[in-house]
Amino acid sequence: MAKNPAYMGPQDQREQVQSPEWSRRKFLQSTAALLAATSAVKSTHGAEDSAPASDASRDPLLITEHPEIIRNRDSALSILKPSQAELERGLALHRRSLVFDSYGFAPRVALDGKAVAAAEEAGAPDAELQDLREEMSMTRAIFDARERSEFQTAMQVAGVTCIFQNAGEEGSDPLVLIKRLARFTYLGDHLRDILVRAATPDDIEAAKKAGVHCLYLTGNGVPLAQKYSTVDEELGFIRIFYQLGIRMMHVTYNRRNLLGDGCAETSNGGLSDLGRAAIAEMNRVGVIVDVAHSGWKTSLEAAQASTKPMVASHTVCAAVRNHIRAKPDEVIRAICDTGGLVGICCIPPFLGGEGDITALLDHIDYVVKKFGIDHVAIGTDISFTSRNVGTENKLIKSRGKRKTRYEALWPEGALGGNWPKQSSISWTNWPLYTVGLVQRGYSDEEIQKIVGGNVMRVCRDVLK
């Protein structure tokens, strides 16, 4: 790693050079090349883009057409206050880099409020309504031109090449886990001019060269046969889901399962024998082991058991912010020793501090300083949400009081919450994450590792 005096923890931030008062017009002019390039990039990974900046002024998807995106960008800029040189370098670097969100979500579109209201009027049960809502929010961009525009705008403005897309749910039931997998498979199959579904790292690089975005699929649980007869039969669905496109799996979610304890369990019981067998099978098949939601002991023991690089795809550092979703140094070291990485998320209560873009950068700095540049990524765990959500939701009647969800057992803050400065780390602010890394003194090569290169390396190493 190159010598970098700017690596620091949250308590010793270097003094930022204050630039003149921000003009949004100047910022929009600076970001114009980014918007044009992400829609029609001609360069290869790491090469300068050849699209002339002058063409960007005619781009139909300029962020001036989306007030919420502008507000979020202004929020981040008011905190970062980059110089013009820092801004231009960061945006140019983001434009030509392969950017890989180590765990996140494709833009979420609005529901068809009338259709949901009609289903409620017809007496659809809660489970059916939940399925209807999820399917609409995940796939409606295929059919609705307005939502397709929202989807495409968000992808272009963020400049993200690939998202490690959550295509699963908590639990181990294959029939439950397959629902989101089917929906995101369907989405990728029908939005090919915008989005493709990648099966290999080569597909991701090809998407970057072609100027489209892509999804690499992950699940929130390990599918189990639930027959409890033989280990081979019990774990047989891991290979099947790999064949269906899943490339990463959570060992646990927040609660305890048959493989180990989740991070919201007070017992911190660690990995089970079946959990060790599942990790061995994931290593064999080529599925990345993910302990983002696992308890500290489960995470540590999973890292000790894995023979392939494994990850905590969307987490934070407990030394910076002590939270159940954070990982202590011992766990991070064990993950790094596998050749893996930790992805820093964009959930304000997990980040601590002001819960803003500065806090995100603080956690990245900590991992780099303590564990090395090759072991950190950004796994946002957030998504862009269509501006039409509020209008459509008003058409849906409230269902009234419902039963207490299982999550009520988890500690307060386990699922996040609203913080005043969270708009600065909105998903469409990805280019400003890169600008922030420029400000922290990282080299271009180091930044490209953080924003995508490290995730690509782990994907290649595990797929082998």
Side-chain angles (χ1 to χ4, degrees):
M1 182 177 71
K3 185 178 180 181
N4 186 349
Y7 293 153
M8 75 295 278
Q11 303 303 318
D12 57 347
Q13 296 286 337
R14 69 176 176 85
E15 184 177 355
Q16 299 289 335
V17 176
Q18 299 298 307
S19 60
E21 185 176 352
W22 270 99
S23 162
R24 188 166 70 196
R25 181 183 297 275
K26 289 183 179 179
F27 173 64
L28 294 177
Q29 290 171 349
S30 297
T31 56
L34 172 66
L35 294 168
T38 51
S39 63
V41 64
K42 304 292 185 184
S43 59
T44 58
H45 180 209
E48 289 289 338
D49 189 86
S50 58
S54 59
D55 289 345
S57 62
R58 297 189 294 272
D59 192 299
L61 297 175
L62 288 174
I63 61 175
T64 51
E65 297 187 6
H66 206 296
E68 183 180 347
I69 294 176
I70 295 172
R71 286 194 296 270
N72 293 339
R73 286 286 172 90
D74 286 348
S75 173
L77 287 169
S78 70
I79 294 169
L80 293 175
K81 296 182 173 65
S83 68
Q84 191 68 19
E86 289 169 335
L87 181 64
E88 289 177 357
R89 178 188 156 202
L91 296 179
L93 179 60
H94 193 86
R95 181 173 67 245
R96 67 177 185 262
S97 298
L98 191 155
V99 178
F100 197 156
D101 191 333
S102 65
Y103 183 93
F105 304 86
R108 288 175 174 168
V109 300
L111 306 177
D112 181 340
K114 290 182 179 180
V116 176
E120 290 186 335
E121 287 283 336
D126 283 354
E128 184 178 324
L129 288 170
Q130 177 66 18
D131 266 0
L132 179 62
R133 287 171 175 268
E134 283 209 353
E135 183 164 353
M136 284 183 178
S137 69
M138 295 171 189
T139 67
R140 195 163 172 243
I142 299 171
F143 310 107
D144 188 283
R146 185 177 62 166
E147 296 307 325
R148 184 187 182 97
S149 176
E150 288 283 296
F151 188 101
Q152 187 168 16
T153 297
M155 292 297 293
Q156 290 180 320
V157 170
V160 172
T161 308
C162 185
I163 305 167
F164 229 137
Q165 169 68 50
N166 169 16
E169 298 186 45
E170 182 190 0
S172 301
D173 185 343
L175 290 179
V176 172
L177 294 176
I178 206 166
K179 286 183 180 180
R180 286 188 187 173
L181 173 56
R183 288 162 184 157
F184 286 106
T185 298
Y186 189 55
L187 185 72
D189 287 349
H190 287 81
L191 288 183
R192 292 185 184 179
D193 57 327
I194 304 172
L195 184 80
V196 296
R197 182 168 53 95
T200 68
D202 286 347
D203 294 339
I204 300 171
E205 290 195 342
K208 173 64 178 176
K209 292 177 182 178
V212 295
H213 313 278
C214 62
L215 302 180
Y216 210 52
L217 303 181
T218 177
N220 272 15
V222 176
L224 301 175
Q226 301 175 80
K227 299 292 182 64
Y228 314 116
S229 176
T230 68
V231 174
D232 287 348
E233 180 185 29
E234 195 60 30
L235 301 179
F237 277 105
I238 293 176
R239 182 167 178 264
I240 291 172
F241 273 67
Y242 169 82
Q243 291 172 338
L244 290 172
I246 291 289
R247 294 294 177 264
M248 184 165 73
M249 293 178 182
H250 285 29
V251 175
T252 72
Y253 196 67
N254 286 4
R255 72 184 88 181
R256 175 182 296 162
N257 65 22
L258 288 171
L259 306 184
D261 271 7
C263 65
E265 293 285 351
T266 57
S267 62
N268 195 29
L271 197 65
S272 70
D273 290 339
L274 183 61
R276 290 182 175 82
I279 288 171
E281 179 64 3
M282 290 161 74
N283 288 165
R284 186 188 73 82
V285 168
V287 174
I288 299 169
V289 176
D290 187 0
V291 293
H293 281 266
S294 297
W296 289 359
K297 189 175 181 181
T298 300
S299 300
L300 178 64
E301 292 178 351
Q304 293 168 341
S306 182
T307 60
K308 295 280 187 72
M310 49 89 70
V311 305
S313 65
H314 53 298
T315 187
V316 293
C317 306
V320 179
R321 167 68 165 173
N322 190 13
H323 191 280
I324 62 167
R325 284 278 282 102
K327 302 301 178 191
D329 284 359
E330 180 186 19
V331 171
I332 297 175
R333 172 57 64 195
I335 291 171
C336 295
D337 285 346
T338 70
L341 59 81
V342 292
I344 304 302
C345 72
C346 293
I347 309 296
F350 303 171
L351 292 169
E354 295 291 327
D356 60 4
I357 194 167
T358 298
L360 170 69
L361 297 169
D362 289 341
H363 284 268
I364 293 171
D365 281 339
Y366 183 84
V367 178
V368 173
K369 183 177 180 180
K370 192 87 174 181
F371 305 101
I373 193 69
D374 295 319
H375 301 292
V376 66
I378 300 173
T380 60
D381 197 22
I382 60 174
S383 68
F384 168 86
T385 301
S386 168
R387 71 179 115 178
N388 304 314
V389 165
T391 301
E392 294 293 338
N393 285 351
K394 287 179 181 178
L395 301 174
I396 305 169
K397 295 179 180 179
S398 172
R399 298 277 286 183
K401 188 176 180 180
R402 301 186 183 186
K403 292 183 178 180
T404 302
R405 290 178 59 84
Y406 196 97
E407 288 86 336
L409 295 176
W410 300 343
E412 185 177 354
L415 293 176
N418 294 318
W419 283 42
K421 296 185 179 181
Q422 67 183 28
S423 60
S424 70
I425 47 175
S426 298
W427 192 78
T428 50
N429 278 356
W430 253 102
L432 296 186
Y433 305 164
T434 303
V435 171
L437 292 170
V438 166
Q439 290 184 287
R440 295 294 176 105
Y442 293 98
S443 70
D444 286 7
E445 180 183 5
E446 290 168 336
I447 292 172
Q448 287 184 316
K449 286 185 176 184
I450 295 169
V451 301
N454 289 337
V455 186
M456 286 290 286
R457 174 185 55 79
V458 170
C459 290
R460 289 195 181 281
D461 288 350
V462 174
L463 200 63
K464 291 177 182 178

